[in-house]
Amino acid sequence: MIEKNSSLKAFNSFSIDAHAHLLFHFQQLSELPQLLALIKKTRAANKPILVLGGGSNTLFCNDFSGLVIKVELMGITQSENNQDYLLEVAAGEDWHELVEDTVAQGIDGLENLALIPGVVGAAPVQNIGAYGVEFKDFCTSVDYIDLEEGTLKTLSNEGCLFAYRDSIFKGELKARALITSVSLKLPKQWQAHCRYGLLQGLDETESSVSAQQIFDSVCRIRSEKLPDPKVLGNAGSFFKNPIVSDNLSEQLLSHHPDMPHYPQHDGSVKLAAGWLIDQCGLKGKKIGGAAVHLQQALVLINEDGKATASDVIQLAWHVREQVLHKFAVLLEHEVRFIDAQGETNLLQVIENV
């Protein structure tokens, strides 16, 4: 249950080799007293604490000097009423397997979120989303352990402060909350969502498209563009799709009329980070063992399995600077950078490379 100087290579989809001073496999809520005692001891030694799910959105920049809590809580409870299917899903469950199982049962709604890597507990942190659908659209509440107080708490959808790839778990509750489960509500009156990206070829009328068709299409599209982490180490989309002012968007469109752009409700415009990177001619760009994926410029890969964190960091910085120079758009990384003392950012780690 507790390991010392344990390798984290198998617990991050980049397959970057790093070690944790202590690794705790959190598999049952009954282990909470033991975990809290370990947390207290770690803090007394002035060491950092990291909650780790599937490691699909994580880059370990160095060995971690403190306690890594690997969340492996499992279990799904399912019920329904006249209007909705209700699911309570433990944080350690695989997200894609949840989507696949629900669609197979005729419980529709999550199909657009197929093949997003990681575990269920990470979904609310990032407010994961794809093809016009986000986690927040179905979440009713999130249960978590307050690591400061040692108590179990629940947040409503509104309390989670969901935004684009953001939530309270990346803000006020960052490093304080360990998510144990999420509650989802999937309406029986299902509505197809096919107006985004490559799904636009599907007809949204309920009579001609099914959730299974959307699921299959999403899986096919993502498989063609996104590398399997088991084959090529990666953390999925490395950068967020930037949101810019309408004025900047119009300026860019005057020079690049084919630029993908998606107007937002507040008047801002979301751009496609992958397209911006591709226009800089960066597909296939390599630094050490890290490379920009040839099929999807938004993905940085551990090409030969021997990339170091330094390789990935330098490549990410190069991509960021090239896009900034060409488009005056500053890309923000979606991937979490974990240094010896905890979460950091690209600006901080590049100084040490």
Side-chain angles (χ1 to χ4, degrees):
M1 193 177 302
I2 302 175
E3 300 176 14
K4 293 184 178 180
N5 194 32
S6 181
S7 173
L8 297 170
K9 186 171 184 178
F11 302 134
N12 73 95
S13 60
F14 252 121
S15 294
I16 297 294
D17 198 14
H19 288 74
H21 176 64
L22 288 177
L23 176 63
F24 184 91
H25 295 270
F26 188 33
Q27 299 176 332
Q28 301 179 56
L29 286 177
S30 60
E31 298 166 350
L32 182 56
Q34 183 181 5
L35 174 60
L36 293 175
L38 188 57
I39 289 173
K40 184 177 181 180
K41 185 177 179 180
T42 301
R43 286 184 171 149
N46 200 29
K47 296 291 186 180
I49 296 169
L50 174 69
V51 176
L52 183 63
S56 61
N57 198 44
T58 302
L59 175 66
F60 285 103
C61 305
N62 286 295
D63 291 341
F64 190 72
S65 65
L67 168 65
V68 173
I69 306 168
K70 183 71 171 61
V71 180
E72 299 172 355
L73 301 167
M74 304 297 285
I76 300 174
T77 302
Q78 184 176 311
S79 61
E80 61 182 284
N81 56 36
N82 291 336
Q83 292 80 36
D84 308 293
Y85 294 104
L86 307 172
L87 303 174
E88 183 175 344
V89 189
E93 293 284 347
D94 182 86
W95 175 261
H96 173 68
E97 290 180 6
L98 172 68
V99 176
E100 186 175 37
D101 290 347
T102 53
V103 172
Q105 293 179 60
I107 301 175
D108 303 331
L110 301 179
E111 55 280 347
N112 291 57
L113 303 179
L115 271 189
I116 293 179
V119 295
V120 168
V125 178
Q126 284 286 106
N127 183 28
I128 59 173
Y131 301 105
V133 173
E134 292 183 314
F135 174 81
K136 70 175 179 60
D137 301 332
F138 306 100
C139 176
T140 56
S141 64
V142 175
D143 292 342
Y144 71 97
I145 299 168
D146 187 319
L147 298 177
E148 296 288 340
E149 300 178 4
T151 56
L152 286 165
K153 295 184 177 182
T154 300
L155 276 178
S156 66
N157 181 298
E158 294 77 12
C160 290
L161 303 181
F162 289 125
Y164 174 63
R165 300 300 176 270
D166 200 11
S167 71
I168 193 172
F169 302 107
K170 294 180 73 174
E172 181 183 340
L173 293 180
K174 182 178 179 180
R176 178 168 179 164
L178 186 159
I179 294 171
T180 58
S181 66
V182 305
S183 295
L184 306 175
K185 180 170 70 175
L186 305 177
K188 292 183 176 180
Q189 192 67 32
W190 175 72
Q191 175 64 53
H193 293 278
C194 308
R195 296 179 181 177
Y196 195 96
L198 296 176
L199 290 183
Q200 291 177 342
L202 296 175
D203 190 335
E204 282 204 1
T205 59
E206 190 173 348
S207 61
S208 62
V209 66
S210 67
Q212 185 66 54
Q213 286 177 303
I214 295 175
F215 174 86
D216 292 340
S217 294
V218 170
C219 288
R220 175 181 53 79
I221 293 166
R222 291 183 71 92
S223 295
E224 289 174 353
K225 289 194 149 192
L226 301 175
D228 184 345
K230 296 175 183 177
V231 179
L232 286 173
N234 72 90
S237 299
F238 199 94
F239 297 99
K240 298 178 183 180
N241 286 324
I243 296 177
V244 303
S245 67
D246 180 58
N247 183 52
L248 177 56
S249 175
E250 288 185 0
Q251 291 181 42
L252 292 173
L253 283 168
S254 68
H255 297 286
H256 309 278
D258 59 340
M259 180 184 73
H261 59 289
Y262 308 95
Q264 305 297 293
H265 294 302
D266 62 359
S268 62
V269 180
K270 183 189 294 185
L271 306 182
W275 186 89
L276 298 174
I277 297 168
D278 190 12
Q279 294 304 301
C280 292
L282 292 173
K283 279 185 177 178
K285 170 67 178 177
K286 298 179 184 179
I287 293 181
V292 178
H293 191 44
L294 285 170
Q295 277 69 50
Q296 173 52 274
L298 195 53
V299 177
L300 307 187
I301 60 173
N302 181 353
E303 188 175 46
D304 56 5
K306 299 178 181 178
T308 65
S310 176
D311 295 338
V312 179
I313 292 165
Q314 290 183 72
L315 182 60
W317 182 262
H318 180 74
V319 169
R320 176 185 182 275
E321 292 300 288
Q322 291 298 305
V323 171
L324 180 61
H325 177 74
K326 185 175 180 65
F327 294 103
V329 174
L330 183 62
L331 294 183
E332 296 181 30
H333 53 87
E334 190 170 323
V335 170
R336 297 172 69 200
F337 287 74
I338 308 298
D339 214 335
Q341 296 300 316
E343 189 163 355
T344 181
N345 58 56
L346 182 56
L347 282 172
Q348 291 174 316
V349 296
I350 193 66
E351 296 177 355
N352 299 319
V353 172

